[in-house]
Amino acid sequence: MTQAAFFVLTALADQPRHGYGILREVEELSEGAVQMRVGTLYGVLDRLTADGLIVLDREEVQQGRLRRYYRLTDEGTAALDAEAERLAAGASAAKKRIAEGRRDPASAPGTTDVPVTGPGLAGGMA
């Protein structure tokens, strides 16, 4: 799942939103890291709709302009939940590795300062 699709689904997790509302929510949720253009948003919305992850909730006319509101489907909620779990597991693994490296940097492969005195790669002595 792309980062844009993840944040669009996240923006729709709590309530239906129209295009501009989704754009604002994505920017807020990503703390400004994801800033989509309107064309990109509607491409993502079309793909998520085709995949059955979101549906058109309703259309409203406000100030003479048509607003389409989208909402998550049950499949969309499940996909978002699975992606959030996948990202959390990846982040946890990265944090664990970083913490292990900071605790004992000398034990990291290729960083030892101890001379090798055992058998070499060819089975001989170094």
Side-chain angles (χ1 to χ4, degrees):
M1 176 179 302
T2 66
Q3 186 179 40
F6 175 78
F7 278 108
V8 168
L9 292 176
T10 302
L12 295 172
D14 61 341
Q15 67 184 28
R17 286 189 165 77
H18 58 81
Y20 183 67
I22 294 169
L23 287 175
R24 285 193 328 238
E25 193 70 13
V26 165
E27 188 172 345
E28 182 179 319
L29 288 166
S30 70
E31 298 177 346
V34 178
Q35 296 182 2
M36 290 190 292
R37 296 180 188 265
V38 173
T40 302
L41 171 66
Y42 283 100
V44 171
L45 291 173
D46 287 345
R47 191 174 75 252
L48 293 173
T49 300
D51 291 345
L53 303 181
I54 65 171
V55 293
L56 182 64
D57 184 66
R58 67 186 183 277
E59 294 180 330
E60 293 179 359
V61 176
Q62 292 186 358
Q63 298 175 347
R65 301 176 81 181
L66 181 66
R67 287 190 173 173
R68 289 188 173 124
Y69 287 76
Y70 296 87
R71 67 175 169 80
L72 285 181
T73 62
D74 290 342
E75 293 83 6
T77 300
L80 177 59
D81 186 51
E83 184 68 3
E85 288 293 326
R86 186 187 74 78
L87 291 171
S92 177
K95 286 180 174 251
K96 182 179 177 184
R97 286 288 175 102
I98 290 167
E100 289 170 355
R102 285 188 179 149
R103 265 190 304 227
D104 189 9
S107 68
T111 62
T112 181
D113 291 330
V114 178
V116 177
T117 59
L121 289 176
M125 293 299 287

